[in-house]
Amino acid sequence: MQTLKGPSLHLAQFSDDIYPFNTLDNLAAWAQEKGFKALQIPAWDSRLFDVNTAAQSQTYCDDLRGRLAEHGLAISELTSHIFGQLMAVHPAYDTLCDGFAPPALRGDPSARQAWAKTQLLATLKAALRLGLEDVGTFSGSLAWPYIFPFPQRPVGLVESAFDELARRWRPVLDEAGELGVNLCFEIHPGEDLHDGISFEMFLQRTGHHPRCKILFDPSHFVLQQLKYLDFIDIYHPFIRMFHVKDAEFIPTGRQGLYGGYQSWTERAGRFRSTGDGQVNFPAIFSKLAQYDYPGWAALEWECCLKNKQDGAQEGAEFIRRHIINVADTVFDDFAAARVSQTQINTLLGID
C-alpha cells in the first residue's frame, strides 16, 4: 500500500483580480501559509497559467515548477474542465457556454468545439512537460436536458448522444495515450458522465480506453443520493484524482433533489466547507488507502455560507488529519509462528 499525497488546493475557486489571488506567485505564498503542499492548476485561467506556452516550452514549465518549489509547493495536476465542457454543448446551453470561449468564436458552436479540442491537447502536452500523469476534465453534455424527460425521450436519443460524445473524445484520449497522460472525467451532475452507469456507457463506446479515468468528488454523490463508498468499491481502478469537497442533503416537505429553483443557501442539497457537511471522509480516506489510490487529495472549496479564507485554512488541516499513513507491517506479526512447510503439512493433516 502507499500513502496518498496531500493536501493540494484546486485554484479555480480562488483565483481573482485582487491580492493575494491575482497571480500564481501570490497564490502560492498564500497557499503555503495555509498549509498546502501542492496546487492543482486550472489550465483555462490565463491569469495563472499559459497553457499554450506550457505545451511548447520546457523552459516555461521548468521555471513554473521552480517558482512553486520556492514556496515548498508542487503541482499535483492540471484541470481542463472549461475546455471539456465545450467539447459537447447542448443547444439549450449555447449562450451560457459561449462565455467560456474567446469572443471571436462565440455564436459558432463548431469553431468553439474545435478550439476546445486544441486547448485540451495543449493541456495534455503541458502536463507531460510538467511531469504530471493526470488531467481533470468535464465530459460536456448532449443528453443532460433529457435526464428527467417529459414528453418521453425518443428511443435511441441517449444512445446517439453517447455515440457522439465518444466520437468527439476518442481523438483526445488517443493523444493522451500517446503522451502517457490520463484524462480524469469528473463525475458531476450537469455532465453526461454523472454517475457510474453513464461512465460505463461512455467507457464502452471509447473501446475501454486505458486513458479514460475518473475524478472522484463525493459532494456530487451526496446531492444525487448515490452511495459514494460503494462507488469506490466498484470503480477504484479508474479513480486517479480526488476532490475533497463536502455537501449536505436535507430534504423537506417542500423540496428535494431538484431544489425548487432556489439559491444555494435555500436548496435541500448544498455544497459546504470541508467538515461542515455530511460526507463520511474517514471512510473515504480508508477506502482509498485500502485500494492503494496513487494520487493527491485536493481541496475543492465551495460553500454557500463560509468564506474561502477560513475554508482553505480549515480544509488543509482537515485533509492532513484524514490522510492515513499506511502500515508497513501487519499489526499481528508479533504473534506469527515461524514454521516450515513440513510443519504446515502436519498442521493440516497432509501426508
Side-chain angles (χ1 to χ4, degrees), residues 49 58 61 64-65 75 78 125-132:
F49 184 69
Q58 191 62 48
C61 291
L64 182 68
R65 289 194 300 178
I75 302 172
L78 298 179
K125 293 174 182 176
L128 179 64
R129 290 190 180 278
L130 289 165
L132 305 175

Side-chain angles (χ1 to χ4, degrees), residues 36 49 64 93 102 128 182 190 195 198 205 207 263 279 288 291 340:
F36 291 97
F49 184 69
L64 182 68
Y93 300 113
L128 179 64
N182 297 309
D195 59 12
S198 54
R205 285 167 169 79
S263 66
V279 174
L288 293 177
Y291 291 122
S340 67

